[in-house]
Amino acid sequence: MMTPEHQKLLKITEATAKKLEKLHLQTPWDVVLHLPLRYEDETHIMPIKDAPLGVPCQVEGEVIHQEVRFKPRKQLIVQIRDDGGSVLFLRFIHFYPSHQKQMAEGKRIRAVGEIKHGFYGSEMIHPKIRDAENSGLAESLTPVYPSVNGLNQPTLRRIVQTALEAVSLHDTLPDELLGRLKLPHLAESLRLLHAPPPEYGIYQLSDGTLPAWQRLKFDELLAQQLSMRLARQKRVSGQAKPLTGTGAWSDKLLAALPFGLTQAQQRVLSEIRVDMAQTHPMHRLLQGDVGSGKTIVAALAALTAVEAGFQVAVMAPTEILAEQHYLKFKQWFEPLGLAVARLSGSQRKKAKEQNKAAISDGLAPIAVGTHALFQDDVQFQRLGLVIVDEQHRFGVAQRLALKNKGSDVHQLMMSATPIPRTLAMSFFADLDVSVIDELPPNRTPVKTRLVNSARRAEVEGFVLNTCRKGQQVYWVCPLIEESEVLQLQTAVDTLAELQTALPELTVGLVHGRMKAAEKAAVMDEFSSGRLNVLVATTVIEVGVDVPNASLMVIEHAERMGLAQLHQLRGRVGRGAAVSTCVLLFSEPLSDLAKARLKVIYEHTDGFEIARQDLNIRGPGEFLGARQSGVPMLRFANLEEDLYLLEHAREIAPRLIAERPDIVEAHLARWLASRENYLGV
């Protein structure tokens, strides 16, 4: 909320301050960083015949005709002719008598807008109009800012200029550094972007390549790197119990497994164990593509903690994934004599109380569950390691609540949504990252097919042939009941259709609104082979492992994100049979949908898919920033500005070591009113 002092500095009323807050502008510095969306050139008059189409420009002429027409709808049509004899139509769908008076025949006016080909010829729709006789030419390009209702552009421009005078724009970075990077001073950059001289082209100002833009991007990236490195320093200075295992239980589990670890799995397990043996908390991200074997690595890390005499909490975002982890850990750990407790929101009260007691008494060294694990009434006797699966789905507060169950516990986060290098360099700079970059040898490549939903009957035939070979099929739908808005095929309808079309097959249904026990029963039916086809919503996106399933059909694939499609595709290809993923789509396809389907069809590598996804959606959407607490960048683009990010990464540790005064000043400026803006 904007303080009265800030309102006074900006010379605005409380009502205007509330409108600025809708734009997330709470301080004069926020206002200074509220940069234009685009610019209009009112510094000179463009002859109508020379004016480019689709580019804002200013023309001047005499009104030679004005009339109100009623077809196809009521509108004001004004014709002007400039000194060269060229005629331009001005069209207004919303107008008042004052407009008609302002543009009366014989008056000389200026119009600012984009010229387009229209029904009447060359025209401007709703241009900005000025009286040519009483208006001078602008000295700089006119900025157009993002705004809200009730806050017009002249008012915003005045407030921005007031803020520029009120805020100290002294440089936090030394001239030597700016010179080496060929970056201008901050004051010069901001003033140029808010009021560019006429020699700058409009597109040149908007593409982000001007040195003034580069300066703001670098300052932002540097602040992010500084904050992340300071967060890392704070973590490393914390105290944690070293978890050094004896290897007794780990060796027994490895000997009992029907497979051996890949070299990549062995490498990341070693990295994790080295971290766990330190006296400061581990904060490591374990990345691996779908099916790369992250779960067994996490299980072995958990055994290391248990061997050291500590408990382990394994948290998953959904009940179905938590159930999968529970069953897998139980299968591996109970033969070793280790109890595994499970906690989820839908558990019966008696079972929940029994599991909480086993956790608090230390009888269960491993606890697996959903967010129910970090409720206040769940107490661990000696928590040493927290494992968070699909970590980007949890909010920061949720992860901290579980971590705080112990004092500075070690933390291992897992993600099957690979994080591109640029994101890892920026948003995860405070983490140590391990990557399983090798798939187990028994994984078979999955073929991807794009099929128009009009050919649905052919796909049903493919399902029948697959099941006749003794294999199983997933059929995934995005909704569980009819939506009048989206009109998508639903899982309930699909179940009925498949039962009718394929009577010799047994078809089951699982969705998010079923009770946990019901879901578990259906999944058990499918896992044991008693169901041929499992119709499901995206609750099966992660964690489900049925090697006999070799066909995945995804309804309305055009509606799903790339990460979700890649995760779903990864549910097949886990056995010896050649597997296929059929992406059913409905036309017409948006440009975004076409781009996504092209990527998922052409690529199987999760990291490349993630990189393309980042380009398509940006970091905030890619990581679900609103939900996960991942900080956003306002100016920098991680793909386009990689070289600036690399400079910031190189410079940040030197500044922290040698110039703490600069670090403090820089962070104070960039983090002053945006607590989670850069990750602090």
Side-chain angles (χ1 to χ4, degrees), residues 389-573:
D389 198 9
E390 291 300 304
Q391 57 83 30
H392 62 286
R393 296 191 180 194
F394 288 100
V396 172
Q398 290 175 316
R399 294 201 298 269
L400 284 176
L402 181 55
K403 186 178 174 184
N404 290 337
K405 293 288 184 182
S407 58
D408 278 332
V409 301
H410 298 275
Q411 191 165 359
L412 176 65
M413 291 161 285
M414 300 197 296
S415 178
T417 302
I419 298 167
R421 174 172 169 259
T422 49
L423 275 182
M425 287 169 63
S426 54
F427 295 123
F428 295 97
D430 62 324
L431 297 181
D432 298 301
V433 180
S434 290
V435 180
I436 303 178
D437 52 8
E438 176 186 5
L439 289 177
N442 62 332
R443 290 303 302 261
T444 55
V446 178
K447 297 178 180 178
T448 303
R449 299 286 182 262
L450 295 175
V451 180
N452 194 305
S453 57
R455 296 169 56 196
R456 186 184 185 87
E458 294 177 37
V459 176
E460 289 173 351
F462 189 24
V463 168
L464 181 60
N465 289 335
T466 299
C467 293
R468 282 176 173 170
K469 294 176 186 174
Q471 295 156 21
Q472 291 167 279
V473 178
Y474 295 105
W475 192 299
V476 177
C477 308
L479 297 178
I480 67 164
E481 57 190 25
E482 189 63 34
S483 163
E484 292 180 2
V485 178
L486 298 178
Q487 292 294 310
L488 300 183
Q489 185 70 35
T490 67
V492 173
D493 288 344
T494 300
L495 174 69
E497 285 183 19
L498 292 178
Q499 286 173 331
T500 301
L502 307 170
E504 71 179 79
L505 302 182
T506 53
V507 186
L509 172 65
V510 64
H511 59 75
R513 295 188 188 178
M514 294 169 68
K515 293 180 179 178
E518 294 174 322
K519 279 189 281 192
V522 176
M523 291 305 302
D524 184 59
E525 289 272 301
F526 189 64
S527 299
S528 63
R530 293 192 294 275
L531 286 179
N532 301 116
V533 181
L534 180 65
V535 177
T537 57
T538 52
V539 294
I540 66 158
E541 179 184 336
V542 289
V544 179
D545 188 1
V546 181
N548 193 47
S550 64
L551 175 60
M552 166 70 69
V553 180
I554 304 176
E555 293 262 18
H556 293 284
E558 77 278 5
R559 302 274 185 176
M560 295 187 188
L562 276 172
Q564 195 173 46
L565 289 172
H566 184 56
Q567 288 277 4
L568 287 168
R569 181 170 61 182
R571 297 307 105 208
V572 294

